[in-house]
């Protein structure tokens, strides 16, 4: 039996499984989500589902994949229903119905534009990953970026999220339809502010009046999103389909913990998110920094250092005493103190809880998955901490080690001919200096990449010295013995 509108009634007979409690068939689409990947389906879509289960509303989601057709082609066979498996001591299952359709922009651009310009569409939400914002190292829109350059020449046939948002808002302005609000849900510091600026930087190139209209009429609240969501694997499909009693070709798995903090600087219609656990606050910045610097920074550190030491998952590497001590030391000595947290957040406890979440044996989170897109992710997770600590005169030794682990991860992949999942992969393979055994040459080559490091870090003598010592220490012996490396450096 395949999961579908028909069979979900049978699944619902199992009281342990939550199914949609609203009139899904007659629920209209009120949200267009760009990037309906696993994280969206495990996080925002679930909050919206629970809000509709509680109080209804026309908050169906139209998911838009900018390029890939996989999600659409799999989910359409099961009426876009899917199972959320919450992995903790016990596994809980919920059938999610919030996503009513999935479109592929590169194939269905007219339908996408019709959704984006429909008066019923009140919100556009995004999980397009760091690279999807097309920003330069200065955090502003990179007008040279290939997708942006394409869209500026072909404004009615965009390929980027920013191109679609501006084209749709332009259409709504012409048709005198209220603007939709835009909610970024990516691990980008100041995600709403950066997206607002990028959208305006783009629109002003095409139509100054439209740029002003967007500036006045569209809200771009900042938000912090958090829930560890490993990618779905074949065994997930089998175990979840067995548990719910219906074939689900693409269930989603995540941890029990979930958090969404949204800036409350905007009016306009939205689902009853605050009634299902979403926090609205005037100070998102502190929450964002806490999460990016204590969870994502440690994640990326474990991804590169752990992979170099031969580990496969976050659980495996965090169970290792030396690595456990390393990330605790990094958090305590270099992350905490690098920013001002929200009053209500106790950072020591928050940090401990995050490491406890890494030690959830039910979560098989591949280091290789977290290691993707380092050139983009580290600009949000590690470089800002280094910059702040350099200004504050605080230590950056362990952060430099973390960064050097990423350098070595890339260098080794190039030497071994392994695939590098990163928008700059081809740039790295055109840098022969990254094959060098000379640590200084490698460090200088990386630091000279201005689109990642900008000028400040590139010219920091302290940082360069620490990176060279770290990389040299990392290259002693075959497998990384993190403890001895840390001892060498501290
Ligand atoms: C991870 C994040 O893949 C990664 O880069 O660090 O997806 C992380 O699991 C989430 O941000 C947790 O909320």
């Amino acid at each position: 039996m395949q999961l579908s509108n028909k069979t979900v009634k049978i699944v619902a007979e199992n009281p342990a499984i939550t199914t949609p409690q609203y009139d899904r068939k007659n629920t209209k689409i009120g949200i267009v989500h760009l990037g309906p990947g696993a994280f969206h389906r495990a996080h925002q879509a679930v909050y919206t589902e629970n809000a509709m289960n509680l109080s209804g509303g026309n908050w169906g989601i139209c998911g838009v994949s900018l390029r890939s057709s996989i999600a659409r082609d799999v989910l359409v066979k099961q009426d876009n229903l899917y199972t959320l498996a919450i992995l903790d001591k016990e596994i809980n299952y919920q059938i999610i119905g919030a996503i009513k359709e999935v479109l592929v922009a590169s194939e269905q651009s007219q339908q996408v534009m019709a959704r984006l310009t429909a008066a019923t569409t009140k919100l556009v939400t995004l999980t397009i990953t760091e690279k999807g914002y097309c920003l330069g190292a200065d955090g502003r829109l990179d007008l040279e970026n290939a997708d942006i350059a394409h869209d500026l020449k072909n404004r009615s046939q965009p390929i980027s999220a920013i191109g679609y948002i501006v084209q749709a808002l332009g259409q709504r302005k012409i048709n005198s339809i209220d603007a939709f609000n835009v909610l970024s849900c990516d691990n980008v510091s100041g995600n709403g502010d950066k997206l607002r600026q990028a959208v305006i930087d783009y629109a002003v190139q095409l139509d100054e009046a439209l740029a002003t209209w967007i500036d006045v009429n569209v809200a771009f609240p900042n938000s912090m999103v958090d829930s560890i969501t490993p990618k779905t694997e074949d065994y997930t499909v089998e175990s979840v389909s067995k548990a719910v009693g219906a074939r689900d070709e693409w269930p989603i798995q995540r941890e029990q913990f979930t958090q969404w903090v949204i800036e409350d600087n905007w009016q306009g219609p939205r689902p009853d998110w605050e009634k299902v656990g979403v926090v609205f606050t005037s100070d998102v910045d502190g929450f964002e920094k806490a999460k990016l610097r204590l969870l994502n920074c440690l994640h990326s550190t474990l991804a590169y250092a752990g992979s170099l030491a031969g580990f496969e998952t976050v659980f495996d590497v965090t169970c290792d005493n030396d690595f456990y001590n390393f990330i605790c030391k990094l958090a305590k000595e270099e992350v905490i103190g690098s920013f001002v947290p929200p009053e209500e957040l106790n950072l020591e406890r928050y940090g401990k809880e995050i490491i406890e979440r890494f030690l959830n044996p039910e979560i098989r989170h591949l280091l290789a998955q977290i290691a993707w897109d380092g050139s983009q992710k580290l600009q949000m997770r590690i470089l800002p901490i280094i910059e702040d600590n350099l200004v504050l005169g605080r230590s950056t030794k362990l952060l430099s080690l973390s960064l050097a682990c990423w350098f070595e991860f890339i260098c080794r992949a190039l030497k071994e001919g392994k695939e590098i999942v990163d928008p700059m992969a081809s740039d790295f393979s055109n840098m022969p200096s990254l094959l060098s055994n000379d640590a200084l040459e490698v460090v200088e080559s990386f630091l000279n990449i201005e689109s990642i490091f900008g000028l400040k870090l590139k010219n920091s003598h302290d940082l360069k010295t620490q990176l060279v010592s770290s990389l040299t220490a990392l290259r002693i012996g075959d497998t990384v013995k993190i403890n001895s490396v840390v001892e060498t450096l501290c």
Side-chain angles (χ1 to χ4, degrees), residues 373-393:
D373 296 353
S375 68
Q376 311 300 302
K377 289 181 179 178
L378 300 188
Q379 293 184 53
M380 302 298 163
R381 304 168 178 208
I382 293 184
L383 302 189
I385 316 174
I386 292 178
E387 277 178 27
D388 289 348
N389 280 3
L390 286 173
V391 171
L392 295 165

Side-chain angles (χ1 to χ4, degrees), residues 39 130 187 225-229 255 291 295-296 299-300 357 365 369-372 377 381:
F39 182 68
E130 294 82 351
N187 289 321
V225 292
D226 189 3
S227 191
I228 293 172
T229 309
E255 62 175 339
K291 193 258 172 168
L295 190 151
N296 298 109
H299 250 181
S300 289
R357 289 162 62 194
H365 200 183
Q369 179 189 349
I370 302 170
W372 294 347
K377 289 181 179 178
R381 304 168 178 208

Side-chain angles (χ1 to χ4, degrees), residues 182-208:
V182 179
L183 184 54
S184 163
C185 302
D186 279 295
N187 289 321
V188 170
S189 47
N191 48 17
D193 295 342
K194 286 205 173 97
L195 184 55
R196 162 194 284 281
Q197 193 58 60
V199 163
I200 290 172
D201 286 351
Y202 176 91
V204 88
Q205 301 290 321
L206 300 171
D207 176 346
E208 280 202 30

Side-chain angles (χ1 to χ4, degrees), residues 302-437:
L302 290 173
Y304 302 120
S307 299
L308 293 174
F311 291 96
E312 193 191 12
T313 70
V314 173
F315 175 76
D316 298 342
V317 67
T318 313
C319 284
D320 176 276
N321 254 346
D322 290 348
F323 276 92
Y324 181 87
N325 294 336
F326 171 39
I327 56 170
C328 290
K329 193 174 166 64
L330 172 59
K332 192 158 176 268
E333 295 177 12
E334 299 193 4
V335 177
I336 294 173
S338 71
F339 69 102
V340 180
E343 271 161 32
E344 62 267 47
L345 197 62
N346 172 319
L347 279 188
E348 269 79 23
R349 192 183 321 131
Y350 180 67
K352 283 204 178 76
E353 286 163 2
I354 283 172
I355 296 176
E356 280 311 308
R357 289 162 62 194
F358 293 173
L359 289 167
N360 176 351
E362 305 304 329
I363 296 278
R364 193 179 127 77
H365 200 183
L366 298 175
L367 298 175
Q369 179 189 349
I370 302 170
W372 294 347
D373 296 353
S375 68
Q376 311 300 302
K377 289 181 179 178
L378 300 188
Q379 293 184 53
M380 302 298 163
R381 304 168 178 208
I382 293 184
L383 302 189
I385 316 174
I386 292 178
E387 277 178 27
D388 289 348
N389 280 3
L390 286 173
V391 171
L392 295 165
R394 291 166 42 87
S395 171
T396 56
K397 285 197 182 108
L398 299 174
L399 291 160
S400 304
L401 173 55
S402 176
L403 198 50
C405 286
W406 175 56
F407 291 175
E408 182 60 3
F409 177 86
I410 297 291
C411 294
R412 277 198 199 175
L414 291 171
K415 286 174 187 158
E416 295 163 10
K418 279 197 190 132
E419 186 202 7
I420 298 172
V421 181
D422 193 296
M424 295 191 74
S426 59
D427 304 75
F428 298 144
S429 45
N430 293 325
M431 293 167 67
S433 55
L434 298 188
L435 303 175
S436 163
N437 293 326

